[in-house]
């Protein structure tokens, strides 16, 4: 966009304090009634979202293979089983299938809360039941039933998905999903970090609880710290391979504003029993 440059930036104490101040100013809660309405009927809000945007809104995530080279480690012999949690309209599923050798033995499961999103995935010419299976699922349930055998997955990917859940559901969500990883399997994660410019831009009255907001369309978003993610994964019995914060400085020259895109990226592994 005009007047905005993106670059790697140094985050310092001054930036941290300024961000904390902006969050303090936009953390007023809506009324209890509005708050409850925003927390309820999440599937309807995501169905509406995908109904409006269909598959035009999203770019396929070809950057995935740079950040998560594990997705390319396929062979013709042993099947690589991948589960894309919160697959949306297939922006991770289809690049994985397209980027793997046609002889590679790979299978990609994908689930989403929105039946509209899953309908869009299944209607794609790239959808091949020999290579993938997409299904509707609410991953926030305390007891998670999946059409996947336990301890059968090599990789779980969760990209900008956990942030849409109510914070109270996050711990059992990660713990439940981790049961489906093979020993030695990896959980690959990327999501919004604390003080991302999206958090700082929220207007007052959209904050449902600390660092958890409702967008104008009723969908929700949480902004994580590295410590929070480490606790979620280690409490689920996984071991850290990577847990980094990725900050990209965006300078708006005209308005003399410095703001940051902030993402948390993690890889955690299920230990192999001795």
């Amino acid at each position: 966009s005009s007047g905005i440059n993106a670059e790697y930036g140094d985050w310092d104490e001054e930036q941290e304090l300024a961000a904390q101040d902006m969050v303090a100013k936009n953390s007023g809660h809506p009324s209890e009634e509005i708050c409850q309405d925003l927390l309820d009927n999440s599937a309807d809000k995501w169905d509406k979202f995908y109904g409006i945007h269909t598959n035009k809104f999203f770019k396929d995530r070809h950057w995935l293979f740079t950040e998560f080279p594990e997705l390319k480690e396929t062979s013709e012999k042993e099947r690589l089983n991948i589960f894309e949690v919160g697959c949306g309209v297939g922006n991770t599923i289809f690049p994985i299938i397209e980027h793997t050798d046609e002889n590679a033995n790979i299978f990609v499961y994908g689930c989403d809360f929105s039946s509209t999103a899953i309908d869009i995935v299944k209607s794609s010419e790239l959808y091949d039941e020999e290579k993938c299976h997409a299904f509707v699922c609410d991953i926030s349930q305390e007891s998670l039933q999946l059409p996947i055998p336990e301890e059968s997955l090599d990789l779980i990917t969760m990209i900008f998905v956990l942030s849409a859940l109510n914070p109270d559901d996050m711990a059992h969500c990660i713990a439940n999903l981790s049961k489906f990883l093979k020993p030695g399997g990896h959980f690959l994660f990327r999501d919004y970090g604390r003080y991302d410019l999206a958090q700082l831009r929220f207007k007052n009255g959209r904050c449902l609880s600390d660092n958890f907001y409702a967008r104008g369309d009723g969908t929700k978003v949480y902004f994580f710290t590295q410590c929070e993610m480490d606790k979620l994964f280690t409490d689920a019995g996984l071991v850290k391979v990577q847990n980094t914060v990725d900050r990209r400085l965006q300078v708006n020259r005209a308005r003399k504003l410095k703001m940051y895109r902030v993402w948390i990226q993690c890889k955690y592994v299920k230990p192999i029993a001795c």
Side-chain angles (χ1 to χ4, degrees):
S1 38
S2 60
I4 294 181
N5 291 349
E7 55 198 62
Y8 290 95
D10 293 323
W11 182 265
D12 56 24
E13 193 179 357
E14 189 183 343
Q15 296 283 352
E16 181 95 10
L17 290 170
Q20 286 174 3
D21 185 53
M22 291 174 83
V23 167
K25 286 174 180 167
N26 77 5
S27 292
H29 300 324
S31 71
E32 202 168 314
E33 190 180 341
I34 291 172
C35 206
Q36 200 53 51
D37 177 61
L38 288 164
L39 290 170
D40 293 340
N41 307 315
S42 291
D44 294 346
K45 293 178 176 86
W46 281 107
D47 279 341
K48 192 173 176 187
F49 175 86
Y50 287 116
I52 292 165
H53 297 295
T54 62
N55 56 356
K56 302 179 189 73
F57 183 75
F58 305 90
K59 293 187 177 75
D60 285 346
R61 293 167 168 159
H62 296 293
W63 55 264
L64 274 172
F65 303 99
T66 308
E67 299 295 342
F68 299 125
E70 296 86 350
L71 294 167
K72 293 189 292 190
E73 292 170 6
T74 58
S75 75
E76 289 182 25
K77 292 177 186 169
E78 205 163 320
R79 189 167 99 164
L80 185 74
N81 292 309
I82 300 171
F83 181 26
E84 164 67 355
V85 179
C87 65
V89 294
N91 302 90
T92 297
I93 291 176
F94 296 136
I96 289 171
I97 291 169
E98 283 183 288
H99 278 71
T100 51
D101 187 283
E102 63 181 75
N103 297 318
N105 195 351
I106 185 172
F107 196 86
V108 188
Y109 297 94
C111 78
D112 203 273
F113 200 20
S114 166
S115 57
T116 304
I118 295 299
D119 288 344
I120 292 168
V121 171
K122 289 185 166 180
S123 67
S124 168
E125 61 193 30
L126 294 167
Y127 188 76
D128 176 359
E129 291 188 351
E130 298 285 307
K131 296 270 184 181
C132 58
H133 174 55
F135 57 94
V136 177
C137 179
D138 176 3
I139 55 165
S140 70
Q141 299 170 87
E142 292 226 12
S143 176
L144 188 63
Q145 303 294 317
L146 298 178
I148 301 171
E150 286 198 4
E151 297 207 333
S152 69
L153 296 170
D154 297 284
L155 300 169
I156 293 175
T157 61
M158 199 177 204
I159 316 286
F160 299 105
V161 170
L162 191 65
S163 53
L165 268 58
N166 187 317
D168 293 342
D169 295 326
M170 291 175 183
H172 62 249
C173 172
I174 297 292
N176 285 337
L177 290 169
S178 299
K179 292 172 189 168
F180 293 88
L181 275 177
K182 286 178 183 172
H186 286 75
F187 206 127
L188 311 178
F189 174 91
R190 190 170 172 90
D191 217 321
Y192 299 103
R194 189 71 44 85
Y195 308 136
D196 178 61
L197 64 81
Q199 180 178 17
L200 305 186
R201 284 175 172 168
F202 270 104
K203 291 185 168 61
N204 204 18
R206 304 301 300 176
C207 184
L208 304 175
S209 60
D210 288 351
N211 307 298
F212 186 49
Y213 299 79
R215 301 185 183 96
D217 62 4
T219 61
K220 296 174 288 294
V221 60
Y222 187 85
F223 297 89
F224 295 98
T225 64
Q226 288 171 275
C227 290
E228 286 172 339
M229 289 316 309
D230 189 62
K231 179 162 173 47
L232 286 170
F233 284 122
T234 54
D235 283 357
L238 305 185
V239 176
K240 181 171 77 173
V241 178
Q242 178 194 41
N243 181 327
T244 57
V245 60
D246 181 0
R247 288 191 182 90
R248 311 282 173 101
L249 175 63
Q250 293 199 339
V251 182
N252 186 315
R253 307 285 180 206
R255 296 175 62 199
K256 295 187 172 62
L257 274 182
K258 274 188 180 184
M259 295 184 99
Y260 287 78
R261 294 305 337 230
V262 184
W263 300 294
I264 303 291
Q265 183 163 305
C266 299
K267 298 178 191 180
Y268 281 73
V269 65
K270 188 172 199 170
I272 297 170
C274 299

